[in-house]
Each structure stands twice: as C-alpha cells, then as structure tokens.
Amino acid sequence: ASNFLLPSVAIIDPDLVSTMPKYLAACSAFDALSQSIESYWSVGSNVKSQKLSLSAMEIISKNLEKSVISRNTRSTAQLMYGSNLAGQAINITKTTAPHALSYKISSLINIAHGHAVALTLGKFFKINHYSKTMNKGITIKSHLRKMKKIYEVFKVSGPEQMEAKWIKLMTKCELENDFNKLNLKNKKIIKQIINSVNIERLQNHPVIISKDEFNGIFDEKKADYN
C-alpha cells in the first residue's frame, strides 16, 4: 500500500487476453465485479471510490456474459476498462467479507481466487440487507441506500432476487456454485474457513457478521436474517 506502486499508465488491450481459458476469464471477471460491489458497500468508501465502483459495476455487469461466454472483443475491452476502474476503487477502500473468506476457500478446495470470492458474495446480499448491526458508525439508512443502488444496477428488486441473479450468472459462465459438489458442506472445512477469516477485511465490511451468519453462508438452514 504505497503511492510508489501506482502506475502512471495502464495498457488495456483485449488482444492480450484473447486466448485466456473460459474458466480463467470467468474467474477474473467475477473477481473484478466482486471488487466493484465490495468497494461500493465498504466502510472505507468515499465520494471518489463510490463513483469509480459504481461505474465499474455498471460496465462489468453489462459486458460480462458477452465477454466470457461469447468472447466478444468489444465487450472484453469494456470489461477490462471496468476492471481497471474497480481496481482504482478497491485501492481506496480495500475489500470486505467475501474476500476475507475467499483465501482459505481457494486453498482448501483448489479453485481460482475469483471463483472463491463469487461463491460467497451472493450470500452477502441478504446478510447485508437484513442486518441491524452496522459497522463503524455507518447508518442503516445510508447502507440500505447503497444496497438499493446495487439492485438497480442489476435490475432486481431486493436481496433474494439479487442472489438468484448472481447464481444464474455464475451458472451461465460455468462456475460451479453447488456447495455440496465443492465439498463446502464439510463441517471441518467450514470451521477452517471461518477461523481463517482475514480480520482486516472484516473491519471494512459494512455490517458486523455473527458466527451464525457465517455458518449460514454454508448451511442455509442455520441462516437467520431477522
């Protein structure tokens, strides 16, 4: 985290990723989209980061399918531009809970980082929407305003529809999201994942997440959003 690491120029050329395997393309795209969403709802967001992350979210969401599935060059160029904006936004805010969980998931079940992030991010729409325990002075009103804006970008009416759309998008891009098939119902693995959570990333998350909510990510029967 240093200004000396910031580039003065970014080369965004879709030809450089034209031979990228579909799985890697999907994982990279979902990582960028997740960054834009996490940055937007992050505790550390400000006027500049919100403008960047919202633009990134809109651009990536519109071009993800055509880029990953159809390998449309124009859409890939747009997706790469959106990814750059998401990177600028996340450089200001840092990531949140989905990223905090992703590192251990990726190493334990041997999947790419973007896939690991996407697996749990869809679950956080309900957690964030229904939580009454805000982090670091965030008001419920301002937080729900942000959540509503995310729903508007994806053209859905609420967290349930947003989660369903997220899963549908993963399925279209052939990213496995069945926790049983990925061995993410294994109690030992779940415990390892939760115990490994990156605390710094959790401090950036807009709501305080309970142990039951963490467990509910992996077992819907344990989820309690009231």
Side-chain angles (χ1 to χ4, degrees), residues 60-107:
I60 296 169
S61 62
K62 286 177 182 177
N63 291 280
L64 193 149
E65 285 186 59
K66 286 183 179 179
S67 174
V68 173
I69 300 170
S70 306
R71 309 314 289 264
N72 180 283
T73 302
R74 184 181 178 88
S75 291
T76 298
Q78 283 294 298
L79 194 149
M80 292 174 75
Y81 174 59
S83 177
N84 181 272
L85 295 179
Q88 291 182 54
I90 217 71
N91 189 55
I92 296 170
T93 65
K94 305 299 182 286
T95 51
T96 62
H99 266 77
L101 288 166
S102 69
Y103 309 115
K104 196 66 174 179
I105 292 174
S106 188
S107 64

Side-chain angles (χ1 to χ4, degrees), residues 129-145:
H129 188 97
Y130 295 115
S131 179
K132 297 295 187 292
T133 53
M134 299 294 106
N135 214 342
K136 292 184 179 177
I138 289 181
T139 65
I140 292 177
K141 185 177 180 180
S142 65
H143 170 63
L144 288 179
R145 192 182 302 124

Side-chain angles (χ1 to χ4, degrees), residues 101-155:
L101 288 166
S102 69
Y103 309 115
K104 196 66 174 179
I105 292 174
S106 188
S107 64
L108 282 176
I109 64 173
N110 194 31
I111 60 173
H113 168 68
H115 190 179
V117 176
L119 278 173
T120 66
L121 191 140
K123 307 288 185 178
F124 280 97
F125 296 115
K126 285 190 286 193
I127 291 173
N128 285 5
H129 188 97
Y130 295 115
S131 179
K132 297 295 187 292
T133 53
M134 299 294 106
N135 214 342
K136 292 184 179 177
I138 289 181
T139 65
I140 292 177
K141 185 177 180 180
S142 65
H143 170 63
L144 288 179
R145 192 182 302 124
K146 284 184 181 180
M147 295 302 297
K148 185 179 179 182
K149 192 66 181 176
I150 293 170
Y151 305 149
E152 287 176 0
V153 170
F154 287 89
K155 296 180 173 58

